Amino acid sequence: MFDKSPPRLELLPVPELDEAQRALYDAITGGPRSSQRGTVPITDSDGRLVGPFAIMLLSPEVGDAVQRVGAAVRFTSSLTGREREVAILSVAAGMRCDFEWLAHSLAARNMGITRPQRDSIRDGRVPEGLSETESAACRLAQRMTADRQLPDEDYEAGLSVLGQTKLAELTWLVGYYSALALALAVFRPVLPDSFRSLDE
């Protein structure tokens, strides 16, 4: 969709993981993300970690800290699922990140975000038909991703519509998924062919 560059990082087979990598693998596949199997991909058909999770294995201690931030953003935030997914798609589109777009397009679709709405986000627009808070999450995530800051007018609007807690969580979400997009752009792990159909 975005990047046609060849991969740089092969996925690590599970039997080849060392002790620290295996502990991280178990934390990722057995933690709260395990409830999302079939929604946001974690492993390929051979059980290898994919996308940013494959990169986390390169430095397991740091990778574990990063994955715990991601789990908090996804599973303990006060953002609704739809607010969260339109924001993640906004970051993925703004950062031109194939993996995050494909993975979370499926999650967004499962939450009722339509193909035309996802296409609008991909093109940098706020889709029609979203709630006020969903529209705000989308627009503010787009702005933060593009500008790496938030002007006073947008900050005040974010506080007014989302409140301070959700705006803080949205800001951490943008930072987290931007960091994943950077890691994916640097290491370009192999993207299994099965992922190509996730956005259909």
Side-chain angles (χ1 to χ4, degrees), residues 19-20 57 74 83 91 100 134 171:
E19 185 177 349
L57 290 173
R74 289 206 57 221
E83 290 164 355
V91 178
E100 294 301 342
E134 291 162 4
T171 304

Side-chain angles (χ1 to χ4, degrees), residues 88-167:
I88 294 170
L89 289 182
S90 297
V91 178
M95 297 290 289
R96 303 180 61 77
C97 182
D98 279 340
F99 180 88
E100 294 301 342
W101 178 267
L102 293 170
H104 286 276
S105 185
L106 175 62
R109 182 183 72 191
N110 289 344
M111 291 186 179
I113 307 298
T114 67
R115 181 60 182 259
Q117 288 172 324
R118 298 193 313 272
D119 289 346
S120 291
I121 295 171
R122 187 195 58 224
D123 295 338
R125 300 188 313 271
V126 177
E128 296 180 2
L130 299 181
S131 72
E132 182 182 22
T133 58
E134 291 162 4
S135 294
C138 181
R139 183 177 58 78
L140 294 171
Q142 289 170 341
R143 191 70 187 260
M144 285 188 255
T145 302
D147 298 344
R148 311 310 299 161
Q149 56 97 24
L150 201 58
D152 289 344
E153 180 179 340
D154 290 316
Y155 175 77
E156 294 299 333
L159 285 179
S160 175
V161 175
L162 297 176
Q164 192 172 51
T165 298
K166 278 192 175 185
L167 181 58

Side-chain angles (χ1 to χ4, degrees), residues 1-199:
M1 184 176 71
F2 298 127
D3 188 2
K4 303 302 182 194
S5 302
R8 292 173 172 164
L9 181 67
E10 292 295 327
L11 305 181
L12 285 173
V14 178
E16 295 181 15
L17 301 179
D18 64 27
E19 185 177 349
Q21 290 171 328
R22 184 60 201 227
L24 175 57
Y25 179 94
D26 291 342
I28 291 171
T29 59
R33 291 180 182 90
S34 64
S35 67
Q36 301 290 301
R37 289 194 197 284
T39 302
V40 176
I42 301 170
T43 60
D44 69 0
S45 59
D46 294 323
R48 300 174 299 180
L49 291 178
V50 296
F53 306 116
I55 302 167
M56 291 174 192
L57 290 173
L58 302 179
S59 175
E61 293 78 11
V62 175
D64 185 52
V66 173
Q67 74 87 14
R68 282 187 279 118
V69 170
V73 166
R74 289 206 57 221
F75 300 105
T76 66
S77 168
S78 61
L79 293 165
T80 68
R82 285 172 58 94
E83 290 164 355
R84 183 186 67 240
E85 294 304 327
V86 297
I88 294 170
L89 289 182
S90 297
V91 178
M95 297 290 289
R96 303 180 61 77
C97 182
D98 279 340
F99 180 88
E100 294 301 342
W101 178 267
L102 293 170
H104 286 276
S105 185
L106 175 62
R109 182 183 72 191
N110 289 344
M111 291 186 179
I113 307 298
T114 67
R115 181 60 182 259
Q117 288 172 324
R118 298 193 313 272
D119 289 346
S120 291
I121 295 171
R122 187 195 58 224
D123 295 338
R125 300 188 313 271
V126 177
E128 296 180 2
L130 299 181
S131 72
E132 182 182 22
T133 58
E134 291 162 4
S135 294
C138 181
R139 183 177 58 78
L140 294 171
Q142 289 170 341
R143 191 70 187 260
M144 285 188 255
T145 302
D147 298 344
R148 311 310 299 161
Q149 56 97 24
L150 201 58
D152 289 344
E153 180 179 340
D154 290 316
Y155 175 77
E156 294 299 333
L159 285 179
S160 175
V161 175
L162 297 176
Q164 192 172 51
T165 298
K166 278 192 175 185
L167 181 58
E169 292 170 351
L170 178 66
T171 304
W172 290 121
L173 178 153
V174 171
Y176 172 74
Y177 283 96
S178 295
L180 296 189
L182 174 61
L184 288 162
V186 170
F187 285 95
R188 296 201 306 256
V190 169
L191 185 66
D193 289 339
S194 60
F195 281 40
R196 302 295 175 186
S197 63
L198 292 178
D199 192 33

